[in-house]
RNA sequence: GCGCCCGUGGUGAAACGGAUAUCACGAGGGUCUCCGGAACCCUAAGUCCCAGUUCGAUUCUGGGCGGGCGCACCA
């Protein structure tokens, strides 16, 4: 929508330039916008103000030139005015909107442009340690990452979804020791549960499985049986939960492969060669002043074990070497500092880090009727993502996780998410879809659908009511919202937009009767319009990974 | 204490540096009851504070204040 009007104004500037009225021939970037104030028209242009300085002319004088030089062969502009300090306000004609609707109807992408141009983007998300079930917090991560991936795919990026699987290091040893202790316990043998061991019942389940399979055969076991059994069971659990949310990955990257390939060693060598690290107190440190950090950070502990950040540096170097155009890392707020350390180290090694785009999300709290639901990671008193899905289902969970921008705290209201009423935003949007679907079923029964015989803008010509034009105007903004959400990595923009579209639909629907109108052309036009609304809701929800039900 | 992020009506959000700060929900008052549980109108209510840059600041800069997160040889 904006682009068509922009083209009009661009030609106006060119014409003014050719006539010697302006020294520039180009319309300033971003000078055309949809004003928030309806009184200011459908489209506003502030080019006159932006050009005032370089043209050495009063903004309003420039605006007058632009206005005079606009050619409008298509009859798009219904009304134009110069307002305020030099805004050019345009009100568009019904005909413009009819053409807009016709264009959308023919466009499978509904106005979303292929801004990705096939660029390859990696989205790394979830990456939870395989030490226990996914929690509600991981749920926000999973939904955010997956929705970003969908948005990027929807704008013609090629996307790879990856889960970094921390299956090496101390946590896994503690996990193995926890399982071993429960195993011995089940056999009635003396056992010592590790001080920082994992308390959850799932550890007992793993141990029980080992008892069933091996009996007492593992009492003296020194190998990896406990670790492997735990990893396998928990990983299967994590995948099952992800399936329920509609989240899939193209690749699981195992941390231990970085050891096997020698990548960790190579990173240490390179850091040492470039003087970015040093040995001290039996450990290897990343030197703060050399990489631009506050404090020195340990890379290898005096025990000889690498600290978490070292494999993470190796992992990111691996990702960079794969040649992605962009690397999106979805991280909880508690991981920001560590991520910055990794990026700082990589940058100091001479790599271009611009492709790395962290998306930070804040924590989730659950509420029920305004009361906060207690969650504590200690003592395993957390609510698992599975429990949340049991209660509210995937659609509500996904939608709710996306109703706030990621960088703000999220209060997840369990009762609201379950409600089947209009104040539940998921229900409100899905209902709009089901409502149109139902109407079409009735229209078909009445033989009204076939009445829409016209093609192109003609088909929409009977639409003149304010609520009808409002719907078209709204639909015409879909492409831009999706593009911005993808570009800024902000899925919540689409969530809000869909709620507004649903509201616009309900407003129309209650004001005007579609079926039973004596003018078949008008019935056909309205059905065509509503079909477009339905397709757009379905497409938008699809980008969020939420279903668009036909009835509910 | 230091670092990062965030402060917009009651709540959640929007505003390439642009017009009288927009939208939704909620609150109060009124209207309507028809394809599916709706919708419409009116009212009250907001840029945390102080400076600076600018023709113009919610937006940029500095300083306060408030909140979150981090500041482990944990991940």
């Amino acid at each position: 929508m904006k682009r068509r009007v922009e083209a009009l104004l661009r030609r106006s500037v060119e014409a003014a330039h050719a006539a010697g009225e302006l020294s520039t021939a180009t319309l300033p970037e971003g000078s055309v916008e949809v004003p928030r104030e309806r009184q200011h028209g459908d489209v506003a242009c502030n080019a006159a103000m932006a050009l005032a300085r370089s043209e050495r002319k009063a903004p309003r004088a420039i605006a007058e030139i632009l206005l005079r030089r606009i050619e409008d062969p298509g009859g798009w502009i219904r009304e134009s005015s110069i307002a305020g300090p030099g805004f050019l306000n345009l009100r568009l004609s019904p005909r413009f909107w009819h053409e807009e609707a016709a264009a959308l109807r023919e466009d499978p992408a509904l106005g979303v442009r292929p801004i990705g141009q096939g660029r390859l983007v990696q989205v790394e998300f979830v990456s939870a340690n395989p030490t226990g079930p996914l929690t509600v917090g991981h749920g926000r991560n999973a939904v955010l990452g997956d929705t970003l991936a969908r948005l990027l795919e929807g704008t013609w990026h090629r996307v790879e979804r990856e889960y970094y699987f921390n299956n090496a290091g101390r946590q896994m040893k503690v996990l193995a020791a926890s399982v071993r202790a429960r195993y011995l316990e089940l056999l009635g043998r003396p056992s010592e549960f590790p001080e920082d061991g994992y308390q959850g019942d799932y550890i007992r389940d793993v141990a029980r499985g080992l008892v069933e399979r091996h009996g007492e055969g593992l009492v003296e076991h020194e190998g990896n049986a406990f670790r492997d059994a735990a990893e396998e069971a928990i990983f299967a659990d994590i995948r099952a939960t992800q399936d329920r949310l509609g989240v899939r990955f193209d690749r699981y990257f195992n941390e231990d492969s970085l050891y096997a390939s020698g990548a960790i060693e190579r990173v240490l060598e390179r850091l040492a060669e470039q003087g970015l690290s040093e040995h001290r107190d039996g450990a290897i440190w990343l030197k703060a002043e050399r990489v631009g950090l506050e404090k020195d950070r340990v890379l290898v502990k005096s025990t000889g074990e690498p600290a978490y950040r070292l494999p993470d540096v190796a992992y990111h170097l691996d990702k960079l070497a794969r040649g992605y155009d962009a690397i999106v890392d979805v991280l909880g707020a508690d991981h920001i500092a560590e991520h910055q350390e990794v990026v700082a180290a990589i940058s100091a090694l001479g790599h271009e880090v611009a492709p790395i785009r962290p998306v930070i999300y804040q924590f989730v709290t659950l509420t029920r009727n305004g009361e906060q639901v207690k969650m504590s990671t200690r003592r395993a008193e957390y609510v698992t993502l599975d429990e949340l899905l049991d209660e509210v289902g995937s659609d509500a969970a996904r939608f709710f996780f996306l109703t706030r921008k990621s960088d703000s705290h999220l209060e997840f209201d369990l009762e609201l998410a379950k409600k089947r009423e209009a104040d539940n935003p998921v229900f409100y949007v899905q209902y709009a879809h089901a409502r149109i679907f139902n109407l079409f079923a009735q229209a078909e029964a009445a033989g009204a659908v076939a009445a829409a015989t016209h093609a192109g803008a003609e088909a929409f010509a009977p639409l003149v009511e304010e609520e009808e034009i409002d719907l078209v105007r709204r639909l015409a903004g879909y492409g831009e919202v999706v593009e911005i959400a993808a570009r800024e990595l902000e899925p919540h923009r689409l969530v809000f937009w869909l709620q507004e579209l649903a509201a616009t639909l309900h407003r129309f629907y209650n004001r005007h009767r579609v079926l039973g109108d004596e003018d078949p052309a008008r019935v056909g036009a309205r059905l065509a319009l509503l079909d477009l609304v339905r397709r757009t809701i379905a497409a938008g929800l699809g980008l969020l990974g939420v279903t668009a039900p036909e009835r509910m």
Side-chain angles (χ1 to χ4, degrees), chain A residues 349-369:
Chain A
L349 282 170
H351 293 272
E352 178 57 65
V353 294
I356 301 177
R357 297 183 64 187
V359 173
I360 314 291
Y361 65 92
Q362 297 290 339
F363 293 128
V364 183
T365 49
L366 293 177
T367 63
R368 191 185 294 285
N369 301 319

Side-chain angles (χ1 to χ4, degrees), chain A residues 119-125 127 145 148-149 152 157-164 249-253 315-316 318-320 322-330 355-357 359 489:
Chain A
R119 278 194 294 262
L120 184 61
V121 180
Q122 190 226 26
V123 183
E124 183 218 324
F125 61 112
S127 298
L148 288 171
L152 290 166
H157 296 81
R158 282 143 63 213
V159 177
E160 270 183 44
R161 297 156 210 240
E162 185 160 315
Y163 186 129
Y164 177 52
F249 290 89
D250 299 305
R251 179 184 338 211
Y252 290 86
F253 188 98
Y315 175 50
H316 275 84
D318 186 283
K319 298 211 288 188
L320 283 171
R322 297 185 214 160
Y324 297 117
D325 295 297
I327 293 171
V328 177
D329 289 334
V330 181
I356 301 177
R357 297 183 64 187
V359 173
L489 303 176

Side-chain angles (χ1 to χ4, degrees), chain A residues 105 447-456 458-460 520-525 527-528:
Chain A
R105 190 193 202 183
V449 174
T453 51
H454 290 294
E458 265 316 288
F460 294 97
R522 177 144 79 172
V523 174
L527 286 174

Side-chain angles (χ1 to χ4, degrees), chain A residues 261-272:
Chain A
S261 69
I264 305 261
E265 276 307 312
R266 280 199 298 278
V267 172
L268 281 175
E269 281 164 22
R270 288 180 60 194
L271 288 167

Side-chain angles (χ1 to χ4, degrees), chain A residues 49 86 97 162 178 226 250 309 329 345 377 440 520 530 547:
Chain A
M49 282 134 78
W97 294 115
E162 185 160 315
S178 305
F226 293 110
D250 299 305
R309 61 183 67 83
D329 289 334
T377 347
F440 267 79
L530 290 184
T547 62

Side-chain angles (χ1 to χ4, degrees), chain A residues 91-366:
Chain A
R91 210 170 288 275
L92 301 169
S93 65
R95 175 157 171 202
F96 176 88
W97 294 115
H98 298 154
E99 289 175 15
E100 198 71 16
L104 287 172
R105 190 193 202 183
E106 298 305 317
D107 181 3
L110 294 164
V112 179
R113 292 172 304 156
I115 55 172
Q117 299 174 324
R119 278 194 294 262
L120 184 61
V121 180
Q122 190 226 26
V123 183
E124 183 218 324
F125 61 112
V126 184
S127 298
N129 295 337
T131 54
L134 294 180
T135 63
V136 169
H138 295 130
R140 189 175 192 185
N141 187 320
V143 170
L144 201 83
D146 182 63
T147 305
L148 288 171
R150 287 172 193 252
L151 279 167
L152 290 166
E153 283 167 343
T155 46
W156 281 263
H157 296 81
R158 282 143 63 213
V159 177
E160 270 183 44
R161 297 156 210 240
E162 185 160 315
Y163 186 129
Y164 177 52
F165 202 64
N166 287 116
N167 63 346
R170 205 186 77 90
Q171 295 299 314
M172 296 307 288
K173 288 182 188 158
V174 173
L175 180 69
S178 305
V179 174
R180 181 187 164 84
R182 294 299 185 213
Y183 171 79
L184 293 173
E185 208 176 276
L186 284 169
L187 293 173
R189 291 177 174 263
S191 68
E192 214 167 295
F193 195 77
E195 202 180 324
D196 50 356
Y198 292 92
Q199 305 268 356
D201 287 338
Y202 58 94
I203 300 291
R204 281 203 177 77
D205 295 339
V206 175
R208 202 165 292 122
L210 288 171
V211 170
E212 280 162 18
R213 244 177 302 155
H214 301 281
E216 305 222 343
L218 294 176
V219 170
E220 303 294 332
H221 181 74
E222 299 288 340
N224 287 331
F226 293 110
R227 204 201 89 143
D228 292 348
E231 182 179 322
E232 193 185 324
I234 292 168
F235 186 47
D237 201 54
I238 287 173
R239 290 186 80 137
T241 307
Q242 283 166 181
D243 276 351
R244 294 182 69 188
L245 258 190
V247 173
R248 295 232 162 63
F249 290 89
D250 299 305
R251 179 184 338 211
Y252 290 86
F253 188 98
N254 288 332
E255 182 188 355
D256 59 15
S257 71
L258 293 167
Y259 293 86
S261 69
I264 305 261
E265 276 307 312
R266 280 199 298 278
V267 172
L268 281 175
E269 281 164 22
R270 288 180 60 194
L271 288 167
E273 275 167 19
Q274 299 191 28
L276 304 175
S277 66
E278 67 179 7
H279 287 259
R280 194 200 322 145
D281 308 327
I284 301 176
W285 297 75
L286 182 65
K287 291 163 78 172
E289 74 276 15
R290 291 297 315 277
V291 301
L293 289 172
E294 283 277 302
K295 291 167 81 169
D296 289 359
R297 298 288 169 187
V298 166
L299 293 164
V300 180
K301 303 181 231 172
S302 53
T303 59
E305 293 173 303
Y308 176 84
R309 61 183 67 83
L310 174 57
D312 212 12
V313 170
Y315 175 50
H316 275 84
L317 286 174
D318 186 283
K319 298 211 288 188
L320 283 171
R322 297 185 214 160
Y324 297 117
D325 295 297
I327 293 171
V328 177
D329 289 334
V330 181
L331 316 159
D334 54 340
H335 281 61
I336 304 170
E338 192 270 341
H339 192 264
Q340 286 169 345
E341 291 162 18
V342 170
V343 172
I346 289 173
S347 177
L349 282 170
H351 293 272
E352 178 57 65
V353 294
I356 301 177
R357 297 183 64 187
V359 173
I360 314 291
Y361 65 92
Q362 297 290 339
F363 293 128
V364 183
T365 49
L366 293 177

Side-chain angles (χ1 to χ4, degrees), chain A residues 21-34:
Chain A
E21 291 174 328
L22 289 179
S23 59
T24 182
T26 49
L27 185 72
E29 194 69 25
S31 61
V32 175
E33 58 182 20
V34 177

